[in-house]
Amino acid sequence: MIRLPYLTEEAIASFIKQALAEDIGEGDHSSLAAIPEDTNGKAALNVKAEGILAGVELAQKIFHAHDPSLVIEVLKKDGERMHAGQVALTVEGKVRSILSTERLVLNCMQRMSGIATYTDRL
């Protein structure tokens, strides 16, 4: 794996902190209003198109930055070919935490997977 000198753990942590602050600010008000604090659940990241998966490691960092107690099961790794209908990962824990982070996770993974898929085609 290639490591870029500017892509440090500190830079990634800063990106995650800033992105979550921009996205949810003081909290996901819909979840805060509608979901009891102690509600637990499980979510699956379903693949909707063929391509190359990217962003799994970043997704884990995002989930754990917001709530270290979330349990993530990785079913497909970064760089693997994916097919519609497959599940890339599952995340289990507090529903509020999952919902507060899912938009950032999906945005990052969609962008990164799109770049990886396009690069693979070239």
Side-chain angles (χ1 to χ4, degrees), residues 58-75:
L58 180 59
Q60 291 175 289
K61 290 178 188 298
I62 293 167
F63 284 128
H64 284 148
H66 183 72
D67 184 347
S69 71
L70 292 174
V71 177
I72 301 153
E73 181 182 11
V74 175
L75 304 170

Side-chain angles (χ1 to χ4, degrees), residues 40-115:
N40 288 313
K42 186 173 184 177
L45 191 146
N46 297 310
V47 174
K48 295 195 176 192
E50 308 284 320
I52 304 298
L53 186 64
V56 173
E57 288 182 32
L58 180 59
Q60 291 175 289
K61 290 178 188 298
I62 293 167
F63 284 128
H64 284 148
H66 183 72
D67 184 347
S69 71
L70 292 174
V71 177
I72 301 153
E73 181 182 11
V74 175
L75 304 170
K76 304 236 359 128
K77 296 179 184 173
D78 284 330
E80 285 189 47
R81 187 158 300 283
M82 57 186 175
H83 304 282
Q86 292 180 315
V87 176
L89 62 84
T90 62
V91 60
E92 190 169 0
K94 293 181 181 175
V95 172
R96 284 184 181 180
S97 294
I98 294 169
L99 291 174
S100 293
T101 51
E102 59 90 18
R103 183 177 309 134
L104 178 58
V105 167
L106 292 175
N107 286 345
C108 290
M109 289 189 70
Q110 287 172 340
R111 179 74 173 152
M112 293 172 74
S113 294
I115 292 168

Side-chain angles (χ1 to χ4, degrees), residues 28-37 39 96 99:
D28 178 358
H29 295 288
S30 298
S31 295
L32 293 171
I35 300 169
E37 184 177 355
T39 302
R96 284 184 181 180
L99 291 174

